[in-house]
Amino acid sequence: MALLPLLFFPDPRLHTVAKPVPAVDGRIQTLVADMLQTMYEAKGIGLAATQVDVHERLIVIDVSEQRDQPVVLINPQLVWTSAETHLNEEGCLSVPGIYDGVERFDAVTVSALGVDGKSRVLQAEGLLSVCIQHEMDHLKGKVFVEYLSPLKRNRIKKKMLKAQREEAR
Ligand code: NI
């Protein structure tokens, strides 16, 4: 297993639209293991392949307190969304230190392949539902700050670029 380097907003590669995973093979299983390790190390609850510069439809999530219930969704598709939505505070490993409200469906049903290559359907609500929607946005090239006002987004962009410059020194 290996820790993978993350892309940070406003890196333009975060806007890449991911392609379907062609086959759940050894390459993908290694990628899943590395992404889980990277997510746990960064204390995140979700990670999309886009964030490690792999532009294929693959996300990993663990919203459990014990950090022992990984959810792997390969080629995920939303098959149902609730009528109700809610404003939830979100953060992102690619936008460290920034938290803001995003409107999301309360519940979703997603179909996807697991790491075993088998198809499954997952019903999610609460934090898991929010996390699935956030990570699936990454696969479309969308970062959560893009839901915020242009003013807020620009402020975040400047703050991130400044922090990245200081870190590079
Ligand atoms: Ni994110």
Side-chain angles (χ1 to χ4, degrees):
M1 289 206 290
L3 286 178
L4 303 170
L6 292 169
L7 298 181
F8 294 103
F9 183 79
D11 192 312
R13 289 172 290 180
L14 285 170
H15 301 307
T16 312
V17 177
K19 294 191 168 68
V21 169
V24 184
D25 52 13
R27 176 183 69 94
I28 291 298
Q29 281 153 358
T30 301
L31 177 61
V32 165
D34 291 348
M35 281 175 60
L36 281 168
Q37 195 193 359
T38 303
M39 176 186 77
Y40 287 130
E41 175 76 19
K43 297 187 164 47
I45 59 170
L47 186 67
T50 309
Q51 294 173 275
V52 294
D53 204 20
V54 175
H55 302 287
E56 295 181 58
R57 296 184 54 79
L58 162 55
I59 63 182
V60 299
I61 292 174
D62 191 338
V63 295
S64 71
E65 295 238 337
Q66 305 295 327
R67 319 286 287 146
D68 59 357
Q69 288 171 50
V71 175
V72 178
L73 300 173
I74 299 169
N75 295 339
Q77 301 280 354
L78 284 183
V79 293
W80 176 82
T81 56
S82 62
E84 303 77 27
T85 63
H86 240 93
L87 197 66
N88 302 276
E89 185 159 273
E90 293 184 20
C92 179
L93 291 177
S94 292
V95 200
I98 304 292
Y99 301 89
D100 216 320
V102 179
E103 192 89 22
R104 300 287 189 187
F105 300 114
D106 284 1
V108 297
T109 302
V110 63
S111 85
L113 301 177
V115 76
D116 55 4
K118 288 187 185 142
S119 171
R120 65 194 54 192
V121 174
L122 178 67
Q123 290 176 314
E125 53 180 31
L127 184 57
L128 181 59
S129 164
V130 170
C131 194
I132 288 170
Q133 293 170 73
H134 175 116
E135 301 311 330
M136 285 183 72
D137 269 355
H138 278 300
L139 302 180
K140 291 186 271 185
K142 188 158 186 169
V143 182
F144 86 101
V145 296
E146 285 159 62
Y147 288 104
L148 309 177
S149 70
L151 185 74
K152 264 191 183 173
R153 195 165 57 243
N154 266 322
R155 204 179 293 153
I156 292 167
K157 197 170 171 175
K158 277 188 191 143
K159 193 175 168 182
M160 292 291 302
L161 287 171
K162 185 165 178 270
Q164 286 161 22
R165 272 196 309 273
E166 277 165 9
E167 199 150 299
R169 265 186 213 158

